[in-house]
Amino acid sequence: MNNAVKKVVVLGGGTAGWMSAALIKKLVGASIEVELVESDDIGTIGVGEATIPPIQNFNHVLGLNEAEFLKATKATIKLGIEFENWKNVGEKYFHSFGAAGKSTPFCHFHHYLKRAQTLGLTDNLWDYDLNHLSAQQGIFAKIKTKDPIIEIPYAYHFDAGLYAQFLRQFSEKLGVKRTEGMVDNVLQCQQSGNITALQLKSGQQISGDLFIDCSGFKGLLIQQTLHTGYEDWSHWLRCDRAVAVPSERFEHTLPYTRSIAHAGGWQWRIPLQHRNGNGLVYNSSCYSDEQATDLLMSNIESKPLADPKVIGFKTGRRRQQWHKNVIAIGLSSGFLEPLESTSIHLIQSAVVRLIHMFPHQGINETEIAEYNKQSELEYQQVRDFIILHYHVNQRTDSLFWQDMQTMDIPASLQHKIELFKQSGKIFREQNDLFNEGSWLQVMLGQGLEPQDYHPMANNMSAEQLLEMMKKLKAIKNEPLSQLPSHDQFLKHITGN
Ligand code: FAD
């Protein structure tokens, strides 16, 4: 394969399609033509509302104005996720985007905290986390500081349909060509198997050199045409369906996602400016679709704004996310349930990876192999983090949760859990999307207690340590009195 890539064709106009088209056109579009094909008849999946902080980098690289973005997508601020009933019914913890306390170069804060707790301190990790403290009070502002310990890292909840529309306008202004129509035939080179053109129902053919498959779960190019196969992870992540429904907004807008575990799955509640997004992710042997829908509808606490929609899925990943001249991005590349809001991020990182390896001189197998290796590792790391939430639980009320406790888990995750249990140590591996702080919060929150702490925590006397804790807590609490409510912040930014 040695042909220079001059034209990229993106199949699909969901979040994945428009994010891909926008970034490719913005960053390499001076020499590359980009055409996006989407079918209004098929439409998009229409869910996907919570994100993680790197989305800010994506918007920044595109040059999007944050206030315009917040207005256009009806977005709210997300400081983290509150997990209710995950460890035990009636208990909750927070996975915040912030860093608790203050770590020293060789020793994470939680080792100091653990020693202080052995000295009688009754505080927990989250008492030292500004994101968590702000979330609990429903307050937020962008703090301008160079001091990382009083930063409030954040992401967004947004209407993914509106985000796709926003990116469409942006992309079309940059010169992305959009063609509406249903692809009903895919033309391939007989020798190489490469895709040469997409044929629409109307007979029109759209040819290209590189094809981005953003056609959703079915993977029209990567799977239905190139048959790359799927690695099924549903023996670890057993939820296989979701039911989603929007409902009226509440008076006050929480700056975080709620994830509420039930006997056979979990429910999300995502506050947007104009409505709440709700859904139940469940295992189909625990609930029928009707039971799941009833359970969700009885727990949304505000008037539904549409009929509930049931979506089936299979957790796993496409064996090769780049094969021949097709790269699968979005749902066509694999799916991990939305527990940690990672799908839109995986779109972002896939298109960023593609830009890094952009095959302008022609596609070669070495680059394909590197791309696939990096994607595989990224998916596995996110997978392990999600399994952690399920596996380390103490619920005794349902077989679903009890089975999770005893199931075999990937060796990579088993090792992380053992290391933490024995020593309190956590290491971020090879660009793991989730840092030590994220792993720590979920491990502690789900009920793992380390048996030891790092000896550096013994480098000060008991009095010095307790004094340090007191000061840190005061530093973390100090900004709170100056922050406006999340609703006031949104009003100020959007003018609504
Ligand atoms: P789709 O939205 O399905 O778009 C597919 C596109 O392909 C459409 O434009 C369609 O018209 C086009 N198409 C398909 N076939 C053809 C054809 N033959 N001809 C022409 N066009 C065609 N992600 C998050 O980050 N956070 C979340 O909170 C979150 N929650 C989720 C909850 C659930 C229950 C599910 C299932 C997913 C969730 N996601 C979430 C994932 C998120 O919804 C997707 O990653 C995102 O919407 C991207 O979808 P997509 O663009 O790949 O596919």
Side-chain angles (χ1 to χ4, degrees), residues 12-13 15-16 39 42-45 47-50 181 183 214 218 331 338 343-344:
T15 322
S39 157
I42 295 178
T44 63
I45 189 147
V47 281
E49 295 168 335
V183 173
C214 300
K218 63 177 175 277
L331 297 173
S343 284
I344 292 174

Side-chain angles (χ1 to χ4, degrees), residues 98-280:
K102 184 181 181 183
S103 299
T104 58
F106 293 97
C107 185
H108 198 281
F109 169 73
H110 70 273
H111 295 283
Y112 296 99
L113 178 64
K114 174 88 183 161
R115 181 178 170 223
Q117 286 168 336
T118 65
L119 296 168
L121 188 76
T122 53
D123 290 344
N124 66 38
L125 186 80
W126 293 274
D127 294 325
Y128 297 82
D129 183 328
L130 186 48
N131 269 53
H132 173 248
L133 296 167
S134 308
Q136 293 316 296
Q137 296 189 20
I139 56 182
F140 175 74
K142 289 164 67 157
I143 294 186
K144 288 198 182 86
T145 173
K146 290 211 165 76
D147 182 354
I149 78 163
I150 52 163
E151 272 175 358
I152 308 186
Y154 63 94
Y156 311 107
H157 305 117
F158 59 57
D159 183 323
L162 294 177
Y163 187 52
Q165 276 177 33
F166 190 60
L167 291 180
R168 174 181 162 187
Q169 282 166 12
F170 172 88
S171 306
E172 286 184 317
K173 269 191 210 146
L174 283 185
V176 172
K177 180 174 175 200
R178 172 187 183 262
T179 300
E180 199 285 319
M182 186 162 331
V183 173
D184 73 351
N185 192 17
V186 179
L187 308 180
Q188 286 175 272
C189 165
Q190 285 200 333
Q191 271 173 338
S192 65
N194 276 355
I195 290 178
T196 52
L198 308 181
Q199 183 168 313
L200 305 185
K201 243 180 170 175
S202 62
Q204 184 187 348
Q205 289 188 1
I206 296 166
S207 56
D209 306 306
L210 182 68
F211 289 80
I212 315 293
D213 186 349
C214 300
S215 63
F217 280 129
K218 63 177 175 277
L220 185 60
L221 308 182
I222 198 77
Q223 184 56 32
Q224 293 187 353
T225 310
L226 297 184
H227 310 290
T228 39
Y230 198 75
E231 200 177 336
D232 183 347
W233 289 337
S234 51
H235 51 295
W236 285 314
L237 291 167
R238 298 181 184 178
C239 290
D240 55 358
R241 295 181 84 67
V243 52
V245 71
S247 68
E248 280 182 356
R249 68 182 300 272
F250 297 140
E251 190 186 348
H252 297 294
T253 320
L254 292 180
Y256 57 91
T257 304
R258 285 179 67 192
S259 166
I260 307 151
H262 293 286
W266 64 277
Q267 179 188 340
W268 77 78
R269 187 176 292 165
I270 294 177
L272 303 181
Q273 287 175 37
H274 57 317
R275 61 170 170 79
N276 286 334
N278 309 279
L280 181 77

